[in-house]
Amino acid sequence: MNVGITSMPDGGVLVEDLGTGFSLVSLYKNAETKTNPDGTQSVTADMHTLPMRTYAGLLAEVKGDFDYYWNKAVLQDAEKVKETEIAELQKLLDDTDYESVKHNEGAITDAQFANLKTAREAWRAAIRELRAATTADAIDAVTYSVDIPSCK
C-alpha cells in the first residue's frame, strides 16, 4: 500500500508499542519525494504492517532482517485481500442462486441463463485460483468481473 509520510523512518522501520505486549511494526520501502506546485515537498512510500510481540531488540531485529519481514508483511496483506475477494465472489454466487433455481425449475430458458451461467463458472474458477494462490503476485494475478449478467 502506498502512503504519504512526513519522512522515511530510519532503516525503513517504525515500531509502535501498543502497551498490550504487542507492537505494530510498520515497514516502509521505495520512498519518493516530490516537489509540489506550491514549493512544499511530499513523501510517499510503500508500507506494510505486522503486529509482533514486544521485546527488547525488536527494532534491531526487524531492521537486521528487513527483507524477511517485508515479504512476510506483504504476504499477510495479500492473504487479507485474498479472503476478502473470496468472500466477494461467494456473495456473487449466493446472490445469483435464485436465478439458478429459476432456471432449474424452467422459469427461465437456457438462452436467458447462459450469460449468468458463464459468469458463475468464472467466479467459481476465480475462487479456486485464489485458494491455490500462495504468493502476493499470484493473488494479484487473479482477475474477475463483478458484473451480474441479466437473465432477461
Side-chain angles (χ1 to χ4, degrees), residues 45-63:
D46 293 334
M47 180 197 72
H48 293 279
T49 59
L50 281 173
M52 296 180 69
R53 281 208 175 274
T54 303
Y55 62 90
L58 174 61
L59 180 61
E61 164 71 21
V62 175
K63 283 182 181 179

Side-chain angles (χ1 to χ4, degrees), residues 38-89:
D38 64 1
T40 61
Q41 290 190 331
S42 59
V43 181
T44 59
D46 293 334
M47 180 197 72
H48 293 279
T49 59
L50 281 173
M52 296 180 69
R53 281 208 175 274
T54 303
Y55 62 90
L58 174 61
L59 180 61
E61 164 71 21
V62 175
K63 283 182 181 179
D65 205 356
F66 181 86
D67 287 338
Y68 168 79
Y69 288 103
W70 176 262
N71 291 333
K72 184 175 179 173
V74 167
L75 184 57
Q76 177 181 287
D77 287 349
E79 285 292 328
K80 289 176 191 172
V81 168
K82 174 180 171 173
E83 292 307 314
T84 299
E85 289 186 3
I86 288 172
E88 178 182 40
L89 287 159

Side-chain angles (χ1 to χ4, degrees), residues 12 36 40 45 54 67 80 82 85 95 120 126 140 144-145 150:
N36 301 317
T40 61
T54 303
D67 287 338
K80 289 176 191 172
K82 174 180 171 173
E85 289 186 3
D95 289 350
R120 288 174 57 86
D140 289 342
Y144 55 89
S145 172
S150 173

